[in-house]
């Protein structure tokens, strides 16, 4: 599937931030340098996973039992199907990632799970992603689905193609569907450190495209943000059992969930 261990990949660098084992020396060089520049990065990755889990549980609380996880990453602790199927064993999940490493490990993990699939795909091509046979086997797009774009859109720079793709997902889903986004932001951060991290990511196949708060809000076009709106990740419907993060802005991530009203 074209895995190059000498070329760092954003998926494997993120796995390294989370303390995972599915990464190579080239990925760890980027991860180590990035953490030197922004020491909170492992904390940021964990807080991002916690947002993902809360968003999944929120969807289930609304009766949504199917998930389209775009840019799903290398499987780690608390994958979407695990969180969702713990609550609803019949919950259905389609994982999509552009990175062959992420897809290979997910295939391995999902073997024997009749309600979850993984496909390799580029989220910027919704027609191909949504038409895929394995995905159609598990998702019924005539019913509400939770579309997850968690920590992925900062790898897709603004372009007419991205705007069209986001509109494509919005047009394809049923009323009552959700869109969850978390996104690294340039608002309220140390611009020099962020610039240097962006330079490091340029060495990977997926360079960073940070956005301001206004730009992240713009990604929800066609969706109505649910309370509390677009906030720093730890502030999005915090779980009372989770420790309170006192300086959420330091975690450099904005998060929100939108609903498709019609
Ligand atoms: C930082 S990881 C996030 C993983 C997971 N969503 C999470 O939040 O824990 C970003 C993932 O997005 C994937 N990715 C980047 N650009 C993509 C694209 N255009 N289409 C699909 N996946 C993409 C990367 O390969 C990587 O696995």
């Amino acid at each position: 599937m074209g895995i190059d261990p000498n070329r760092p990949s954003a998926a494997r660098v993120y796995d390294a931030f989370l303390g995972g084992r599915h990464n190579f020396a080239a990925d760890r060089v980027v991860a180590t340098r990035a953490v030197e520049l922004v020491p909170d990065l492992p904390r940021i990755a964990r807080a991002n996973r916690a947002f993902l889990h809360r968003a999944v549980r929120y969807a289930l609380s609304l009766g949504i039992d199917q998930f389209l996880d775009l840019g799903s990453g290398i499987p780690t602790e608390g994958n979407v199907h695990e969180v969702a199927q713990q609550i609803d064993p019949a919950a259905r999940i389609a994982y999509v990632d552009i990175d062959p490493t992420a897809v290979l490990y997910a295939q391995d993990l999902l073997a024997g799970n009749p309600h979850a699939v993984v496909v390799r795909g580029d989220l910027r091509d919704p027609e191909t992603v949504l038409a895929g046979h394995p995905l159609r086997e598990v998702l019924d797009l005539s019913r509400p689905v939770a579309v997850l774009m968690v920590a992925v859109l900062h790898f897709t720079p603004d372009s007419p193609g991205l705007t069209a793709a986001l509109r494509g997902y919005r047009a394809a889903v049923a009323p009552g569907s959700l869109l969850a986004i978390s996104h690294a932001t340039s608002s309220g951060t140390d611009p020099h450190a962020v610039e240097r991290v962006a330079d490091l990511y340029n060495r990977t196949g997926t360079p960073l495209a940070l956005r301001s708060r206004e730009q992240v809000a713009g990604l929800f076009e066609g969706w109505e943000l649910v309370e509390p709106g677009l906030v720093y990740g730890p502030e999005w419907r915090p779980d009372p059992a989770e420790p309170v993060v006192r300086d959420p802005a330091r975690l450099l991530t904005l998060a929100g969930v939108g609903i498709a009203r019609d």
Side-chain angles (χ1 to χ4, degrees):
M1 253 205 239
I3 294 172
D4 180 355
N6 298 313
R7 181 160 200 216
S9 104
R12 298 192 307 252
V13 170
Y14 181 73
D15 181 64
F17 291 150
L18 286 167
R21 287 179 291 113
H22 304 315
N23 49 73
F24 298 115
D27 308 305
R28 292 191 287 277
V29 168
V30 172
T32 304
R33 185 76 190 109
V35 172
E36 279 165 15
L37 295 169
V38 181
D40 276 325
L41 276 170
R43 215 172 137 226
I44 290 169
R46 286 195 300 274
N48 178 63
R49 295 293 299 176
F51 162 71
L52 171 66
H53 298 164
R54 295 197 302 279
V56 168
R57 291 196 295 265
Y58 174 71
L60 285 159
S61 77
L62 298 185
I64 296 174
D65 61 358
Q66 32 176 17
F67 298 84
L68 174 57
D69 189 358
L70 299 166
S72 46
I74 291 172
T76 180
E77 224 171 275
N79 300 296
V80 170
H81 70 286
E82 291 157 351
V83 175
Q85 291 178 347
Q86 199 173 28
I87 297 169
D88 177 354
R92 295 173 165 264
I93 297 93
Y95 293 107
V96 179
D97 204 285
I98 202 168
D99 187 304
T101 323
V103 176
L104 267 183
Y105 284 117
Q107 274 170 344
D108 202 35
L109 180 72
L110 297 176
N113 190 321
H115 299 317
V117 294
V118 57
V119 294
R120 187 168 180 205
D122 185 335
L123 71 85
R124 290 166 293 189
D125 181 4
E127 269 180 33
T128 306
V129 166
L130 294 174
H133 175 68
L135 184 143
R136 289 290 180 161
E137 287 271 284
V138 295
L139 299 186
D140 171 5
L141 294 183
S142 69
R143 295 196 301 113
V145 59
V147 181
L148 310 171
M149 300 193 194
V150 176
V152 60
L153 291 177
H154 46 237
F155 296 115
T156 54
D158 282 333
S159 68
L162 178 65
T163 306
L166 293 172
R167 289 180 182 155
Y169 291 108
R170 174 65 186 84
V173 299
S177 293
L178 297 179
L179 171 66
I181 291 178
S182 70
H183 197 297
T185 183
S186 51
S187 294
T189 58
D190 170 1
H192 298 299
V194 164
E195 228 168 79
R196 277 176 292 171
V197 173
D199 282 348
L200 275 173
Y201 268 94
N202 284 339
R203 289 200 225 153
T204 72
T206 38
L208 263 189
L210 297 176
R211 290 186 174 85
S212 66
R213 173 181 286 276
E214 291 67 33
Q215 289 170 318
V216 178
L219 300 171
F220 284 97
E221 181 198 289
W223 302 80
E224 184 183 311
L225 279 167
V226 302
E227 285 297 318
L230 184 63
V231 292
Y232 290 112
E235 294 173 329
W236 195 88
R237 297 180 180 247
D239 188 334
E242 278 171 29
V244 175
V245 176
R246 301 227 173 267
D247 51 359
R250 266 182 62 194
L251 299 191
L252 315 182
T253 306
L254 290 169
V257 174
I259 187 162
R261 282 294 178 206
D262 52 53

